[in-house]
Amino acid sequence: MLTRRVVPCLDVADGRVVKGTRFIDLRDEGDPAELAERYVREGADEIVFLDIAAAPAGRATLLDAVRRTAGRAFVPLTVGGGVHSVPEMRAVLRSGADKVSLNTAAVADPDLVRRCARAFGRQAVVVAIDTRARPKGGWEVVVRGGRQPTGRDALAWAERAAELGAGELLVTSMDRDGTGEGFDLALLRAVAERVSVPVIASGGAAGPADFVAAVRAGADAVLAASIFHRRIHAIADVKAAMARAGIRVRAAGAIGAGAVA
Amino acid sequence: MSPVARASGASSAGRPVGGAPRIGVVDYGAGNLVSIGQALARVGAEVRRVRRSDDLHDVQGLVVPGVGAAGPAMRRLGRTGLVEPLRDWVAADRPFLGICLGLQLLFEGSDEDGAETLGLLAGRTVMLESAPRLPHIGWNQVERRRAHPLFAGIAPAADFYFVHSYAGRPAGTEGEAAILAETEHGRRFVSAVARGALLGVQFHPERSAGDGLRLLANFVAIAAEGGGRARVRPEAVSC
């Protein structure tokens, strides 16, 4: 039986890990490869890099960080942000990433999902869906970091993205993101029921209990950023809580685990 | 010292005995070579890119990675002129490790797109049955049927990273005998095979953290020992 995955997300701008409200008050938090390696040592099952600047100038340094991370972390690495085409995706994969996460670009051009899946296999394509709850129920897709509504129904887009070739869906509640109020469990439940591909929960984690709740709502993996960056909770604590709740998780192990001196 | 003891001893020390063994990674445009190359280098191999048959002559072990569908992969492999040399390599029982699609290509054909594959193992690549979710993505247990140097020093319950929707299903007595490990996702499927020095894993050791690196170190040690001899006394190895 599969373990449920714990996935730390690193916001990267100009090749450095940054923290702060997105685009505002960014603080340099260090080298992405170093942080990624630390997370893997602490039990991270995967790593996600989100290029929040996605500016051409910072792209080369990001890809360099991907290359260095791939050579040190030895767990799956996903890169989101700045990919609008098959050649851009190829450049990211050639740097050593295993998957690319498509968000705004996929909403603008849904066929991009199909083209990328055809070129690299669906296992390499994650579609990230940022959502906001609608006043009368349901969820709407938002883009550009949550600032732009699209009018599109999130569940319908989830289904369509999976049909087009997404291998996984990264579902974020922008209402909860950064609030520490816990994941939007109704959203996770609704998406997990609609699609057969794995669902990664994101947005709102405050503590280990939230990870347990997300898995019980149907998430296959749970992503978080700030609670790990700020060392509010260690990945190992989250995994221990999941294990206590009867959820199978991978035992944390060193990257080398004795295989390399 | 027996070859087995030396092979497993070498893997636990991290560096194979007698310098860096030369491991060829087949580059046929159907997979990401960055991560497998980095992982092999990390465990002490000298990694050589294999693009045509000439590149094979001084490598001691061969890794065939790959993601995606079998049909396009076979066409790309065909264009490199490597199909016959790979058959000869396996026929000579030289150390070979197929990873993911690289394992699936060893079977006779794939249900994914109906492609005919190498036919070096009896059986077909079929879709995972009764899977709760597809693709099968994530860390899952690899349950060994028998001890093997490839898994030396790896805990029986260790998890490895999988990303796939199809898996090879060995057929017949010979195919059955090659089954080394199974994994459950819905139904059980074959997650590792071994027939002499012909080895294959459905998971991604290069993305399976410490246990994955150990498995690759074990393969490098097997290759350094010349393959077939590494399995002379498998009972001597604790897996």
Side-chain angles (χ1 to χ4, degrees):
Chain A
M1 198 177 65
L2 280 170
T3 68
R4 302 299 173 132
R5 292 168 274 156
V6 174
V7 185
C9 175
L10 303 177
D11 285 350
V12 181
D14 299 325
R16 301 289 291 176
V17 177
V18 292
K19 143 172 127 172
T21 315
R22 285 191 183 161
F23 300 103
I24 304 160
D25 297 332
L26 298 181
R27 281 212 334 254
D28 190 322
E29 290 291 327
D31 177 55
E34 262 170 44
L35 259 166
E37 191 178 3
R38 191 193 98 201
Y39 281 141
V40 173
R41 260 199 314 271
E42 293 172 1
D45 296 309
E46 279 186 57
I47 298 288
V48 172
F49 280 176
L50 193 58
D51 185 2
I52 62 163
R59 202 62 182 171
T61 45
L62 174 84
L63 295 185
D64 177 60
V66 168
R67 206 170 289 118
R68 288 184 293 113
T69 306
R72 288 165 72 169
F74 301 109
V75 300
L77 177 60
T78 302
V79 173
V83 171
H84 310 84
S85 67
V86 166
E88 282 171 350
M89 178 158 171
R90 182 174 291 119
V92 174
L93 297 181
R94 283 208 175 145
S95 300
D98 300 281
K99 314 179 205 182
V100 160
S101 162
L102 303 170
N103 191 335
T104 303
V107 174
D109 173 18
D111 190 62
L112 175 65
V113 178
R114 191 190 57 80
R115 295 196 304 275
C116 289
R118 182 185 264 186
F120 309 109
R122 65 185 300 151
Q123 83 293 329
V125 182
V126 179
V127 170
I129 304 177
D130 291 348
T131 71
R132 281 195 191 282
R134 283 175 159 149
K136 289 179 181 169
W139 297 267
E140 178 181 4
V141 178
V142 293
V143 294
R144 306 204 180 283
R147 288 163 302 169
Q148 189 178 314
T150 64
R152 199 186 285 231
D153 178 66
L155 300 184
W157 172 229
E159 260 179 317
R160 175 121 173 81
E163 276 166 23
L164 284 165
E168 288 174 288
L169 299 180
L170 168 56
V171 179
T172 301
S173 162
M174 297 306 287
D175 301 312
R176 303 292 180 92
D177 199 31
T179 64
E181 288 172 21
F183 296 101
D184 185 339
L185 302 178
L187 168 68
L188 295 175
R189 219 171 274 125
V191 175
E193 275 169 15
R194 286 278 194 113
V195 300
S196 64
V197 299
V199 174
I200 307 162
S202 154
D210 296 319
F211 287 74
V212 171
V215 167
R216 287 188 174 147
D220 300 274
V222 189
L223 177 141
S226 52
I227 72 161
F228 296 138
H229 296 333
R230 293 176 194 157
R231 295 181 183 262
I232 298 166
H233 292 282
I235 292 169
D237 296 341
V238 168
K239 286 185 139 182
M242 291 167 79
R244 276 197 302 277
I247 296 165
R248 209 170 89 73
V249 290
R250 182 177 69 98
I255 294 165
V260 280
Chain B
M1 193 189 264
S2 80
V4 171
R6 269 170 38 219
S8 56
S11 65
S12 61
R15 270 183 197 278
V17 176
R22 297 175 302 279
I23 303 295
V25 177
V26 177
D27 179 5
Y28 58 113
N32 194 334
L33 303 187
V34 179
S35 51
I36 184 67
Q38 285 173 324
L40 285 165
R42 170 75 177 251
V43 299
E46 184 186 326
V47 181
R48 302 273 178 94
R49 204 170 261 221
V50 174
R51 289 199 177 96
R52 52 203 169 87
S53 57
D54 285 358
D55 299 333
L56 285 170
H57 81 273
D58 73 339
V59 301
Q60 293 162 281
L62 205 51
V63 173
V64 179
V67 292
M74 283 303 293
R75 283 194 291 279
R76 290 195 188 103
L77 200 55
R79 284 199 290 269
T80 62
L82 278 166
V83 170
E84 283 314 310
L86 287 186
R87 285 185 207 281
D88 294 344
W89 183 279
V90 170
D93 201 28
R94 302 190 64 189
F96 180 106
L97 178 64
I99 296 174
C100 194
L101 182 63
L103 162 60
Q104 296 176 9
L105 292 181
L106 295 172
F107 292 91
E108 294 161 76
S110 172
D111 283 358
E112 186 167 11
D113 52 11
E116 228 178 84
T117 48
L118 294 168
L120 296 166
L121 279 171
R124 286 187 68 76
T125 295
V126 299
M127 193 181 227
L128 295 178
E129 280 182 274
S130 315
R133 288 197 184 271
L134 282 181
H136 173 225
I137 297 184
W139 299 78
N140 207 337
Q141 263 170 341
V142 173
E143 299 165 34
R144 271 102 75 184
R145 280 193 176 183
R146 53 189 157 101
H148 193 281
L150 188 63
F151 285 94
I154 297 171
D159 290 300
F160 289 86
Y161 189 78
F162 288 85
V163 185
H164 64 123
S165 296
Y166 289 77
R169 182 193 282 159
T173 320
E174 195 204 348
E176 273 287 310
I179 298 174
L180 179 55
E182 292 175 303
T183 294
E184 192 183 316
H185 183 62
R187 297 233 187 109
R188 292 169 78 80
F189 66 90
V190 173
S191 52
V193 302
R195 189 189 68 205
L198 177 64
L199 308 169
V201 293
Q202 180 56 59
F203 50 86
H204 289 269
E206 75 281 12
R207 280 294 176 252
S208 296
D211 287 326
L213 290 181
R214 182 175 283 270
L215 184 139
L216 290 173
N218 290 339
F219 175 72
V220 171
I222 289 168
E225 292 296 334
R229 284 172 293 142
R231 68 195 149 86
V232 173
R233 290 171 54 202
E235 68 279 4
V237 180
S238 61
C239 292

